[in-house]
Each structure stands twice: as structure tokens, then as C-alpha cells.
Amino acid sequence: MEKFKQNWQITKNWQLVFPIAGIIILFYSAYKLANAFLKDYNIAIVYSVSLLLSFLLLKLCLALFKKLEGKWILKHRWEMIRVFMVFAFTGSSSVFIGRPIIKWLGVTQDNLYPLFYWIIYILLCMLFYQILLVCFGWLLGQFEFFWNFEKKMLKRFGLKRFID
């Protein structure tokens, strides 16, 4: 355990919450993916594929951590897990919020050309994504990181005047 703490630069026991939560989220995501594609199969097959996907997702995340570690300015390695969690929560939540709002606006694939529906839906989700990214970043103690990230993103969208 000490080697794990040292590798992730964990100095206080409460910081172990993030690697544990990250592993739980990773396993849950792998299960949801396996279940989505294999829901008609035996539960043992779904669990087996879930374990395999968990292993592959873990390898992918660790490779991304290694690649982004020098690019993102964070004080400790374990904060990378927290940043990834914010991205995951934000992406899921923006879709979760965007879906009922687009229905409330009366926009459906039945009354609008599908291409226009998807453009409106993606733009709406992107709007909520920008707002939620900073909110979830603040909730998980990474406000400064995500505020700087948001400013870069707004500059790329050509919305520099809204930053200051």
C-alpha cells in the first residue's frame, strides 16, 4: 500500500478516495458497456467481458495519465484521477440535462430533419458541458484547473470576449 501511495503521491489517507472511486467508476463503465452490447447473453459472459473491458480501460487510462501528466499542471498525481472524474461526470450530466430540455423545447426527430435535430442537440449539450465542467471542477476541488481549461476552450471557439 505504501508503494501505491508513493506512486500516486498520496500523503493523506482521505486522498485514497479518488483512486478507489476511479476504480469503481471504471468497473461500472465496463459493465455498462458489456451489458449494452451483450444484454441478450448469459450474465457470466457479461461479467467476463466486463472484467476484460475493465482491464483494457485501466490500461488506456494509465496511458492517458502518463501522456497528460507533463501537459496538465497539477500538484499531485492522484489529482489526475479527480480531473478524469470531473470530465466523466460532466459529459454524462450534460447529456442527461440536454435530453429533457430539448424535449421541453418541442424539438424531436419526428418534427425536425434529423441532421438539424442532432446539431441543436449537440450545441445544447455543449452549452451545458461548459457550465457543468466548471461546476463539477469546483465541487471536486479543481476549480482553478477547469477555469483555465474553460478559458482555453472558449478562446478556441472564438469567444475570447466572454472570458474577462
Side-chain angles (χ1 to χ4, degrees):
M1 183 60 119
E2 287 303 316
K3 188 175 180 180
F4 179 81
K5 284 181 169 182
Q6 188 177 23
N7 186 37
W8 285 97
Q9 299 173 333
I10 294 173
T11 56
K12 296 180 174 76
N13 285 335
W14 67 266
Q15 295 166 342
L16 284 168
V17 167
F18 294 104
I20 292 168
I23 292 291
I24 291 169
I25 292 168
L26 186 125
F27 277 108
Y28 178 72
S29 299
Y31 169 75
K32 291 297 276 185
L33 280 170
N35 195 40
F37 291 108
L38 304 171
K39 61 183 160 196
D40 297 334
Y41 288 88
N42 185 334
I43 194 75
I45 292 172
V46 173
Y47 284 153
S48 299
V49 172
S50 296
L51 285 173
L52 177 64
L53 280 174
S54 296
F55 176 75
L56 294 173
L57 285 174
L58 181 62
K59 288 291 190 185
L60 175 67
C61 287
L62 291 174
L64 287 172
F65 286 169
K66 199 168 265 199
K67 185 173 184 166
L68 294 170
E69 191 172 21
K71 189 173 184 177
W72 290 350
I73 301 167
L74 298 166
K75 293 177 185 167
H76 306 286
R77 276 188 93 209
W78 63 269
E79 290 178 316
M80 296 281 288
I81 299 167
R82 193 162 55 172
V83 167
F84 271 58
M85 289 170 66
V86 170
F87 282 124
F89 294 152
T90 302
S92 302
S93 299
S94 65
V95 171
F96 184 74
I97 290 171
R99 192 172 292 146
I101 289 178
I102 203 164
K103 284 182 184 175
W104 178 74
L105 291 171
V107 177
T108 64
Q109 288 181 335
D110 297 331
N111 67 7
L112 193 63
Y113 186 68
L115 178 67
F116 295 133
Y117 168 82
W118 284 108
I119 290 171
I120 292 169
Y121 182 65
I122 290 169
L123 289 173
L124 185 68
C125 288
M126 282 179 59
L127 172 69
F128 283 109
Y129 185 85
Q130 305 310 312
I131 296 165
L132 291 171
L133 190 64
V134 176
C135 293
F136 280 121
W138 175 76
L139 283 173
L140 289 177
Q142 290 295 123
F143 176 79
E144 186 178 331
F145 175 85
F146 283 102
W147 182 241
N148 291 332
F149 190 87
E150 187 67 31
K151 287 192 279 189
K152 278 188 207 173
M153 200 177 311
L154 289 173
K155 284 179 187 174
R156 288 183 186 144
F157 289 152
L159 301 170
K160 189 176 180 178
R161 65 180 178 267
F162 293 110
I163 294 172
D164 298 323

